[in-house]
Amino acid sequence: MAPDILQRIVKAKQTEVTAARREISLNRLREAAEARRDVRPFFDALKAPGTSGVNIIAEIKRASPSKGVIRKDLDPGRLAESYAVGGACAISVLTEKSFFLGTPDDLQQARLASGLPVLRKDFIFCDYQIFESAAMGADAVLLIVRILDQQRLADLIQLAASLRLTALVEIYTEADIEAAARAGAQMVGINNRNLASFETDLGRTLKLLPLLQPGQAAVAASGIRTRQDIRHYQAHGVFNFLIGESLVRSETPAAFLKYLRGEKDHVGG
């Protein structure tokens, strides 16, 4: 049987990290990470509903394995500026290069242009990548439960916290929820997309939401495209959302964000 998409991505990432270690040592990255004094409070931006009752992490993503190139003329800085104008509470940037065509420079441009806290969205499995994330300017990191064993997940969450980075822990199954809780995850991203097949089910978030621990902040991710989608989730207590493709494709991302947040009746209004 051919490996699923997630396995292929992780394998490519392992090769990439091995090469990176030859270029920049772990000690050099650690020094840069520990020297940072400009970490922006990602968790604080999401722990309570914003002024519109909705917090949106707006994503910058050049491509995906399922959709190919999403926007050929993507300018990370300009898009980040639009997201800030539209009321995003934070920005997520794909930095994985083999399947998503992202780079650390995308993250750095977005952070400089927006003033918002920035999540590094990548396939992180080791200490090196946490130090790398801090050194490149990330304020938060994505940790995917499915690609980490229990101890490694806990260790990476703790390492991120020691560098003042927020860990957004991504889950897809009930077993993932248990693992995230045992590892001490405070912020949990419920992915509606199955990373093995990249199929999306908007019911996934509502199925898993009741299983979260008291005090954990939930973020609904993948497939959310309309104000109606957001209202449906809000009715069940969800107020944090990570939205990517529909924003990247929009010709007016600031206006589209305001529509999603309920500040406009329609995208062009």
Side-chain angles (χ1 to χ4, degrees), residues 46 57 168 187-191 205 212 217-221 238 240-242:
L46 293 143
I57 306 168
L168 175 59
M187 179 163 288
V188 177
I190 306 176
N191 198 346
T205 290
L212 296 187
V219 180
V238 180
N240 293 321
F241 303 88
L242 193 154

Side-chain angles (χ1 to χ4, degrees), residues 72-213:
K72 292 182 180 179
D73 63 344
L74 189 148
D75 181 325
R78 183 173 297 176
L79 193 53
E81 287 178 357
S82 295
Y83 288 167
V85 170
C89 72
I91 293 176
S92 168
V93 182
L94 261 297
T95 59
E96 196 281 331
K97 69 177 184 179
S98 298
F99 293 81
F100 294 87
L101 308 183
T103 67
D105 187 59
D106 289 346
L107 185 146
Q108 290 160 353
Q109 288 186 47
R111 194 173 191 278
L112 283 172
S114 71
L116 295 172
V118 177
L119 166 73
R120 182 191 185 190
K121 194 172 182 185
D122 212 315
F123 298 81
I124 293 173
F125 56 83
C126 66
D127 292 5
Y128 186 91
Q129 292 166 285
I130 299 291
F131 289 120
E132 180 184 56
S133 300
M136 74 173 63
D139 306 296
V141 291
L142 181 74
L143 298 177
I144 302 171
V145 172
R146 184 178 159 184
I147 67 174
L148 299 166
D149 62 39
Q150 181 68 60
Q151 189 59 54
R152 180 64 60 87
L153 176 60
D155 289 346
L156 294 183
I157 290 173
Q158 291 175 15
L159 178 58
S162 75
L163 298 170
R164 301 175 299 283
L165 305 185
T166 299
L168 175 59
V169 178
E170 180 178 304
I171 64 168
Y172 182 73
T173 67
E174 294 181 12
D176 290 347
I177 292 178
E178 295 175 6
R182 288 195 298 268
Q186 285 188 297
M187 179 163 288
V188 177
I190 306 176
N191 198 346
N192 292 318
R193 181 169 292 125
N194 182 343
L195 291 181
S197 64
F198 269 66
E199 295 176 350
T200 301
D201 172 15
L202 287 179
R204 173 68 51 172
T205 290
L206 298 183
K207 177 182 177 181
L208 297 181
L209 184 67
L211 304 178
L212 296 187
Q213 299 293 311

